Amino acid sequence: MPKSRFWRLLSGLLLVSFLTAGLAACRGGDEAPIAEDVTFEVVAFEPDTFVVGDVTVIIKVLRAGTPLANARVDAQGDMSHAGMVPVQASGTTGADGQVRLPLEWTMAGDWTITVTITTPEGQKRAGQFELVIN
């Protein structure tokens, strides 16, 4: 499959996954307003292989389809089985709505990555995507 087609397919799947994900990360006693019009797309992985080791995930945050600057993006990767320490990264989007998050896949297997976005106004939105690391 050509790389550009692969990335379009992956981005589409991740966006669908994000839009259908629960907002559990935004719930609790001190509930922040939900950013209903905020979405994210995974733009790329560097390197673009899904193997154990260091990777940079590039995420683009959008508000009503327009890049959102100065949003905080927190990512946490968890393995599908108990006992593994999660991997975490945080950053702030630039003017283009993108943020580069360095993560380290510490083990091969199924990973769930939870992305929590906090807008400059303090609204939150969360979503997830899954990867299989070889």
Side-chain angles (χ1 to χ4, degrees):
M1 178 181 318
K3 275 191 177 182
S4 62
R5 184 173 174 212
F6 169 78
W7 286 112
R8 281 195 309 266
L9 177 63
L10 181 62
S11 292
L13 290 172
L14 296 175
L15 182 59
V16 168
S17 190
F18 173 75
L19 293 174
T20 59
L23 297 173
C26 294
R27 295 185 184 151
D30 296 325
E31 206 168 300
I34 297 172
E36 297 286 343
D37 58 349
V38 172
T39 59
F40 75 86
E41 302 171 357
V42 176
V43 176
F45 295 89
E46 294 175 354
D48 64 355
T49 57
F50 298 106
V51 295
V52 173
D54 294 330
V55 65
T56 298
V57 180
I58 303 170
I59 293 177
K60 185 173 189 174
V61 178
L62 304 165
R63 175 184 277 155
T66 303
L68 178 61
N70 299 314
R72 179 179 170 86
V73 179
D74 297 299
Q76 178 171 310
D78 293 288
M79 298 258 347
S80 60
H81 60 278
M84 292 300 299
V85 175
V87 298
Q88 298 176 327
S90 296
T92 303
T93 58
D96 60 356
Q98 293 189 20
V99 62
R100 300 173 62 85
L101 301 173
L103 293 169
E104 179 187 2
W105 308 131
T106 54
M107 182 179 203
D110 298 331
W111 287 82
T112 299
I113 295 79
T114 302
V115 176
T116 304
I117 299 162
T118 306
T119 68
E121 302 81 26
Q123 297 175 319
K124 290 193 176 199
R125 186 74 189 254
Q128 295 180 330
F129 63 95
E130 296 181 5
L131 294 174
V132 176
I133 305 301
N134 298 311

